[in-house]
């Protein structure tokens, strides 16, 4: 019986690689609450919103996951341009991801479905949010014998 290929966790790979690239920025999938959120700014939240996995078949065991992410960049509202500048940094780093790897997998491709855009927060929250939709393809890590 063949050993099943375990697909990598694309969200974890995205968070790990962006965290390594964005010094001084909290990259997470869950926002801190209350005062902890404000204290953590700037913050990038990565949420998986879809994407499918594919396998090439029995003769070629290569498999990959193609997650799509909603990526939100948060900064203090008092610094009007900070969230947009953070979003542009994320986009620039995203372009550099193909070929990068973590223990969980390798990024084989990326896409940008929507560029940075305003995603207004509730009034009087004290934060500005800019978001975009990004995609990537990831393969399991290479195993060397």
């Amino acid at each position: 019986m063949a050993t099943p290929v375990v697909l990598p966790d694309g969200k974890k790979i995205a968070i790990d690689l962006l965290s390594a690239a964005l010094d001084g920025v909290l990259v997470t999938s869950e926002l801190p609450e209350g005062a902890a959120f404000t204290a953590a700014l700037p913050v990038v939240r990565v949420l998986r919103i879809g994407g499918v996995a594919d396998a090439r078949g029995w003769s070629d065991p290569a498999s990959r996951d193609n997650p799509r992410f909603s990526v939100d960049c948060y900064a203090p509202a008092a610094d009007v341009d900070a969230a947009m500048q953070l979003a542009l940094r994320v986009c620039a780093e995203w372009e550099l991801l193909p070929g990068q790897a973590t223990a969980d997998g390798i990024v084989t491709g990326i896409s940008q479905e929507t560029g940075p855009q305003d995603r207004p927060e509730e009034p009087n929250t004290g934060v500005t949010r800019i978001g975009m939709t990004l995609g990537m393809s990831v393969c399991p890590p290479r195993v060397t014998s």
Side-chain angles (χ1 to χ4, degrees):
M1 183 169 169
T3 303
V5 174
V6 177
L7 289 171
D9 181 348
K11 182 171 74 171
K12 183 174 182 343
I13 293 169
I15 289 170
D16 289 348
L17 292 174
L18 286 175
S19 291
L22 299 170
D23 285 339
V25 176
L26 172 63
V27 182
T28 184
S29 62
E30 293 188 33
L31 295 175
E33 292 186 22
F37 173 64
T38 306
L41 293 173
V43 174
V44 173
R45 179 177 60 181
V46 178
L47 298 176
R48 184 170 181 149
I49 57 171
V52 296
D54 60 28
R56 295 186 190 137
W58 65 270
S59 65
D60 183 357
S63 298
R64 89 182 146 220
D65 191 18
N66 304 293
R68 292 177 62 236
F69 303 106
S70 175
V71 179
D72 288 310
C73 300
Y74 296 86
D79 189 350
V80 178
D81 296 327
M84 180 58 81
Q85 291 305 311
L86 179 56
L88 294 173
R89 281 180 61 201
V90 169
C91 288
E93 293 298 338
W94 201 259
E95 292 294 320
L96 301 175
L97 292 182
Q100 292 192 45
T102 70
D104 297 305
I106 303 163
V107 179
T108 58
I110 54 98
S111 64
Q112 185 173 357
E113 297 178 26
T114 64
Q117 58 193 339
D118 292 328
R119 291 184 176 173
E121 281 294 298
E122 293 296 319
N124 304 315
T125 59
V127 298
T128 301
R129 177 174 65 149
I130 301 291
M132 62 214 116
T133 304
L134 303 173
M136 69 167 39
S137 293
V138 293
C139 291
R142 290 187 179 95
V143 178
T144 56
S145 309

